[in-house]
């Protein structure tokens, strides 16, 4: 089903008209209400009345994550605190968290874009829905929760982690739709098999996965293991949370951006120049309807491309590709740009490996070096024996060589590969996973 036919199948001309009006409004709104933008516009000599729409968007300043930190916690809010009904925050690894705020209308809009996402993922009103995104300051849990209730799903607010409980609910409540991170979907698949439960016997058929990068190869693995559809959902706290974009289950080919609320651009991350559809660059959003904390040309750090071709699902909303990496987790290994997702995609075809791995990044003589530690399958260990991994067994050495050759072919650089045993690589315990150990 399509949740909002009028918007989601709008012609390009109608969408452009809608966006033009909203861009003009938001430029005035932030200029009048947010001192940070008043100052920025004045410094750049921008008169908000001159901003008439999409064509003028490139004249506006970028907003960066550091601007949120500099105005911590509520300095970018455009409404008095009495109008703010919710705050969320995303935990950074260093420093203060990034704080975002919502008015009641913002919460309604968020529920709307999440309801559209559920429909895209194949959910229908009345379906049993198990929400395994974390509830709390993280936007995943509550964001999806409100969208699910808006659609009329039977919402189970189980939150993240506690795999034993997730499995009980999947069986006893007969869950049909489930949301979690893709890495947790894999944790769950393995746990089900270990508990002697065949996922095929469970009614769960739609997984709505996001909050971290993953690959098409990983989708195949998840779908095969769980006997279900897995669609990609994208979002970030600064823009709203989950529901910025989502794939349709019919196409599974790029995530439709809710562009009536979040106007996307792709830029060259070095020069800031706007790139054409199809070109890979940094994704930038202008929120055109948000009240509490609207952001102008917010630089997400996520690298992807845009596609305006109509989709087989009937939606006309522009699609973004998978996130290919983050501008800031790109590793430069002897002059070559490498993203962890490329390594993952290259290794997923190798039968002796599980989909789990760890990457260790070090620096020697000011050069990044990367050690790839893929985990072998149980079947492989049963064949070669427990000690083989450390003992220089020929099967191990030849597998190592095979992986090194595969990585060299896809990354164009040599990497060191060390095999690790089943269960040694990090697993998702419910939330986002971190596979890169940066020792620089
Ligand atoms: O992760 C919101 C979310 C919750 C999205 C649940 C989807 C599902 P943050 O914690 O602020 O918000 O992290 C945002 O996560 O800039 C991306 O780098 C990454 N990310 C989110 N979704 C995807 C995805 C939530 N589908 C940051 N693919 C973003 C790749 C994703 N990366």
């Amino acid at each position: 089903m399509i949740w909002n036919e009028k918007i989601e199948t709008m012609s390009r001309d109608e969408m452009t008209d809608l966006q033009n009006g909203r861009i003009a409004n938001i430029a005035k709104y932030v200029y009048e209400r947010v001192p940070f933008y008043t100052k920025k516009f004045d410094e750049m000599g921008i008169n908000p009345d001159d901003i008439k729409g999409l064509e003028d968007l490139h004249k506006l300043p970028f907003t960066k994550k550091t601007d949120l930190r500099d105005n911590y916690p509520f300095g970018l809010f455009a409404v008095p605190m009495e109008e703010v009904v919710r705050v969320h925050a995303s935990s950074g690894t260093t420093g203060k968290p990034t704080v975002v705020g919502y008015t009641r209308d913002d919460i309604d809009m968020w529920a709307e874009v999440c309801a559209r996402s559920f429909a895209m993922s194949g959910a229908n009103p009345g379906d049993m829905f198990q929400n395994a995104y974390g509830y709390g300051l993280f936007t995943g849990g509550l964001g999806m929760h409100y969208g699910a209730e808006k659609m009329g799903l039977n919402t189970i607010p189980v939150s993240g982690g506690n795999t034993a409980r997730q499995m009980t609910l999947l069986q006893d409540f007969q869950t049909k739709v489930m949301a979690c991170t893709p890495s947790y979907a894999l944790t769950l698949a393995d746990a089900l098999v270990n508990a002697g439960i065949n996922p095929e016997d469970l009614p769960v058929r739609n997984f709505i996965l996001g909050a971290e990068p993953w690959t098409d190869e990983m989708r195949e693995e998840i779908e095969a293991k769980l006997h279900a559809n897995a669609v990609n959902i994208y979002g970030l706290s600064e823009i709203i949370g989950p529901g910025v974009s989502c794939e349709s289950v019919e196409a599974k080919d790029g995530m439709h951006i809710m562009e009536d609320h979040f106007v996307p651009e792709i830029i060259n991350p070095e020069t800031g120049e706007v790139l054409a559809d199809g070109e890979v660059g940094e994704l930038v959003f202008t929120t055109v309807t948000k009240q509490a904390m609207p952001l102008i040309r917010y630089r997400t750090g996520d690298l992807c491309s845009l596609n305006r071709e109509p989709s087989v699902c009937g939606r006309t909303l522009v699609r973004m590709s998978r996130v290919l990496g983050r501008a800031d987790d790109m590793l430069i290994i002897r002059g070559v740009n490498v993203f962890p997702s490329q390594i993952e995609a290259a290794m997923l075809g190798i039968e002796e490996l599980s989909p789990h791995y760890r990457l260790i990044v070090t620096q020697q003589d000011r050069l990044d070096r990367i050690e790839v530690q893929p985990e072998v399958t149980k079947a492989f260990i049963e064949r070669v024996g427990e000690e083989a991994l450390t003992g220089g067994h020929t099967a191990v050495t030849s597998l190592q060589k095979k992986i090194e050759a595969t990585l060299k072919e896809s990354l164009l650089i040599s990497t060191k590969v060390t095999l690790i045993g089943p269960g040694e690589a990090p697993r998702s315990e419910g939330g986002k996973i971190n596979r890169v150990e940066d020792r620089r």
Side-chain angles (χ1 to χ4, degrees):
M1 74 178 289
I2 295 184
W3 182 255
N4 189 331
E5 285 269 353
K6 180 167 174 282
I7 295 287
E8 295 177 65
T9 61
M10 213 174 226
S11 73
R12 184 50 46 195
D13 285 349
E14 285 173 304
M15 181 56 76
T16 302
D17 280 350
L18 181 66
Q19 290 177 332
N20 284 342
R22 290 182 171 180
I23 289 169
N25 283 341
I26 206 72
K28 288 190 204 74
Y29 183 90
V30 297
Y31 183 77
E32 283 161 13
R33 289 168 173 252
V34 186
F36 166 80
Y37 284 120
T38 318
K39 188 160 167 267
K40 274 242 165 157
F41 280 32
D42 286 347
E43 276 167 11
M44 293 172 73
I46 299 165
N47 178 350
D49 292 331
D50 294 341
I51 304 300
K52 309 265 188 251
L54 272 178
E55 304 226 312
D56 300 315
L57 200 52
H58 70 277
K59 298 177 186 159
L60 296 176
F62 290 118
T63 309
K64 296 190 183 147
K65 202 176 190 94
T66 47
D67 296 323
L68 271 72
R69 298 239 169 88
D70 293 347
N71 292 282
Y72 175 85
F74 310 131
L76 291 184
F77 285 12
V79 295
M81 278 322 265
E82 301 81 72
E83 289 174 37
V84 174
V85 300
R86 175 100 64 82
V87 289
H88 279 281
S90 70
S91 49
T93 40
T94 51
K96 302 271 193 202
T98 311
V99 179
V100 296
Y102 305 78
T103 63
R104 196 170 299 284
D105 286 348
D106 292 339
I107 297 282
D108 287 346
M109 180 270 275
W110 192 10
E112 156 74 20
V113 294
C114 284
R116 288 185 203 170
S117 304
F118 277 111
M120 288 176 184
S121 80
N124 284 294
D127 285 348
M128 187 63 72
F129 165 58
Q130 188 162 329
N131 190 8
Y133 284 120
Y135 281 65
L137 285 177
F138 175 54
T139 52
L142 281 166
M144 296 301 273
H145 183 101
Y146 277 61
E149 287 188 346
K150 181 164 180 112
M151 169 174 257
L153 299 176
N154 309 140
T155 308
I156 317 170
V158 54
S159 194
N162 199 339
T163 307
R165 189 194 307 166
Q166 303 284 358
M167 293 197 293
T168 307
L169 295 176
L170 278 170
Q171 292 176 291
D172 296 355
F173 290 13
Q174 297 278 291
T175 299
K176 175 122 190 296
V177 180
M178 182 159 184
C180 59
T181 57
S183 56
Y184 190 66
L186 280 177
T187 299
L188 190 65
D190 291 344
L192 286 168
V193 172
N194 288 339
I197 302 164
N198 181 356
E200 206 174 352
D201 298 336
L202 296 173
V204 62
R205 286 293 166 269
N206 298 82
F207 280 81
I208 177 159
L209 308 177
E212 64 187 11
W214 52 311
T215 55
D216 274 325
E217 287 80 359
M218 194 159 156
R219 183 202 322 259
E220 280 172 28
E221 179 110 22
I222 292 170
E223 292 192 329
K225 283 186 162 166
L226 289 164
H227 297 271
N229 283 301
V231 304
N232 199 358
I233 182 167
Y234 169 88
L236 62 166
S237 325
E238 298 90 312
I239 299 307
I240 196 83
V244 171
S245 66
C246 187
E247 267 177 340
S248 71
V249 69
E250 297 89 352
K252 291 185 190 157
D253 185 19
M255 298 174 275
H256 287 286
I257 297 175
M258 314 300 169
E259 57 175 315
D260 49 327
H261 298 293
F262 321 117
V263 177
E265 294 170 277
I266 297 287
I267 62 159
N268 175 327
E270 264 115 56
T271 62
E273 172 209 358
V274 178
L275 301 179
D277 288 353
E279 290 190 71
V280 175
E282 183 176 349
L283 180 61
V284 168
F285 282 111
T286 299
T287 66
V288 291
T289 55
K290 231 166 55 160
Q291 298 173 338
M293 207 185 93
L295 292 177
I296 302 293
R297 303 191 84 200
Y298 183 71
R299 295 185 58 156
T300 63
D302 295 321
L303 301 173
C304 66
S305 61
L306 296 181
N307 172 6
R308 268 171 246 266
E309 299 285 310
S311 162
V312 295
C313 70
R315 292 180 181 82
T316 51
L317 298 172
V318 59
R319 279 174 284 169
M320 59 183 268
S321 69
R322 269 187 192 287
V323 173
L324 304 168
R326 285 190 50 81
D328 51 15
D329 71 19
M330 184 179 79
L331 306 165
I332 303 181
I333 313 285
R334 294 185 287 287
V336 180
N337 297 352
V338 176
F339 293 100
S341 56
Q342 278 178 289
I343 299 179
E344 176 176 325
M347 292 193 307
L348 273 164
I350 301 175
E351 190 196 329
E352 296 90 340
L353 299 181
S354 84
H356 306 286
Y357 63 95
R358 179 164 57 209
L359 301 179
I360 300 194
V361 187
T362 52
Q363 205 171 45
Q364 274 170 18
D365 306 326
R366 289 202 283 148
L367 283 181
D368 290 335
R369 285 173 198 275
I370 190 160
E371 179 177 334
V372 183
Q373 300 191 338
E375 195 181 284
V376 296
T377 58
K378 277 204 191 103
F380 180 78
I381 287 292
E382 276 158 20
R383 205 165 72 223
V384 302
E386 287 274 346
E387 280 77 50
L389 287 185
T390 46
H393 192 287
T394 47
V396 170
T397 323
S398 77
L399 176 57
Q400 237 154 3
K401 292 230 167 76
K402 177 162 105 180
I403 302 166
E404 280 169 2
T406 308
L407 289 177
K408 175 139 202 193
E409 200 180 301
S410 81
L411 308 176
L412 307 172
I413 50 154
S414 310
T415 49
K416 181 174 178 208
V417 172
T418 309
L419 300 177
I420 56 177
E424 285 185 43
R427 297 286 194 278
S428 165
E429 283 162 19
K432 300 189 196 228
I433 191 165
N434 182 15
R435 300 186 175 94
V436 183
E437 196 177 311
D438 198 336
R439 297 186 182 157
R440 284 173 297 183

